[in-house]
Amino acid sequence: MRRIRSMVAADGVTLPGPAGADRLALRSGAMPANRMNRDEFYAAMAPHDDARLRKILWTVYWRGNVQLRERIEDELRPQDQPKVKAKKELPDPAGVLDEVTTFVELAKDGAYMAGDRRVHHTERSRWRHTFRRLAADALAALTASDPAPAQQAVMKIVDLACDMKRYDYFHSDDPVEAAKFVVSEAVAALWESVFRHGGFAALAARAPEQLIRWEADYGWTRRGYGQVAGKETLLAVPLARLLTTPDMWRKFAESYLEALEAAGRADPKRPRTVYGTFDETSYRRKERANDLATWHEMLLDRFAGTPEDELLDRLVASPALAGPELIFLRARLAERRGDVSQAAALVTKCLKEMPGRQAYLDFAVKVGAELPSRAREIAAERARTTKYAGTT
């Protein structure tokens, strides 16, 4: 009972005896001035037999927190029996959602950038630690029996991380890298949770819109290099792993096309003027086509020449996409269907706008397209560089 006697005073129980009469023994970490020393403690416990000590220990065990109960269980375990590593309790999904919602709202209100009394000045410099903790709790809570609040929390964290690439919510030159938050890993965990708990129907209902909103061709960090950027992957990769049958691919593609049409309708209807004429709608649609290029290539490989080929016609005609990447997608579709002349004409059009894009140049050579003058110069210069590198 010697070990138990020592623990009682450390973790909190009312002690009998003259030195500890009506006094509450201290919980771990508290150090008031009237804490008993070892001699006083042993003197207070000496008059009590083992039955009384067991009763005291039971009170401490039953009323203590998880850490205290685990500590007592470890002390009571036979010495020849190895200790079992305590399992960390899952965060409460609803509580995590509340914390994440508050954090995201404060960040978007600029509370972490300026003198906002809602955020203490020390917390502004520690924002990355808060971000990591909330992200880790949200991802851990995805394994709860009811993960819906945790899924919402992860969505809010990912939305914030995507915005952090363009907006200054925190004092950092690359906030996603500073927070050590890998967006693609978080989204993969979210989609797996949705699929596990809601089935394919839930995934097909939610993931298409999220893919369109979150996918980033060059990642989510501002610099594009570093530890976080090295771990990132396009969202199309973990999504494709979940689509294990042809029927899943077809139904998901149909949901994706509907979400793409909705995204196009939500784009601004009129160009906005910023330092001259800036067509925000055109810019947004070009950026969307660039970000989703790998996913569109997967759809092309999956459906070209199959009964679902008509889905590709809907894809290349989508008003939500624009720019050379959309034209290149049309060129590759034409080549898959045997219309080489149309493919050549389309890739030539791409090269007029982006003469140095290597994928366009390679495809142009494949289909025998006529290169614009600037594209020919770039291709010749790269050929000379390659030849020189091979001889040195």
Side-chain angles (χ1 to χ4, degrees), residues 96-139:
V96 171
L97 176 59
D98 289 341
E99 281 196 86
V100 168
T101 300
T102 300
F103 178 76
V104 171
E105 289 176 353
L106 288 172
K108 292 190 174 183
D109 285 346
Y112 280 85
M113 288 295 290
D116 193 313
R117 291 185 177 182
R118 292 174 297 172
V119 178
H120 194 271
H121 66 88
T122 57
E123 171 62 19
R124 292 190 203 111
S125 63
R126 289 180 52 81
W127 70 267
R128 58 178 59 83
H129 303 290
T130 303
F131 189 104
R132 289 176 204 159
R133 177 180 64 81
L134 292 176
D137 286 349
L139 291 171

Side-chain angles (χ1 to χ4, degrees), residues 287-334:
E287 187 178 38
R288 186 180 292 137
N290 292 337
D291 289 336
L292 295 164
T294 298
W295 169 246
H296 294 160
E297 184 177 357
M298 290 181 178
L299 296 180
L300 181 65
D301 292 338
R302 175 68 57 172
F303 296 133
T306 70
E308 290 78 21
D309 191 79
E310 55 89 15
L311 295 175
L312 298 175
D313 289 323
R314 290 175 57 189
L315 176 62
V316 298
S318 174
L321 305 173
E325 200 60 45
L326 174 61
I327 299 173
F328 186 50
L329 179 63
R330 292 171 178 168
R332 289 191 294 169
L333 179 59

Side-chain angles (χ1 to χ4, degrees), residues 69-84:
R69 293 197 302 271
E70 290 173 350
R71 182 181 175 189
I72 293 175
E73 289 168 357
D74 283 340
E75 294 293 341
L76 295 177
R77 185 174 293 108
Q79 294 184 358
D80 58 346
Q81 181 179 344
K83 293 184 179 181
V84 178

Side-chain angles (χ1 to χ4, degrees), residues 154-187:
V154 174
M155 288 169 55
K156 289 179 180 291
I157 286 286
V158 172
D159 278 330
L160 179 62
C162 291
D163 288 345
M164 281 157 54
K165 186 175 182 178
R166 298 183 294 271
Y167 302 107
D168 290 326
Y169 294 133
F170 307 101
H171 290 284
S172 176
D173 59 343
D174 195 341
V176 174
E177 177 71 31
K180 292 181 170 53
F181 183 67
V182 184
V183 171
S184 54
E185 291 182 355
V187 174

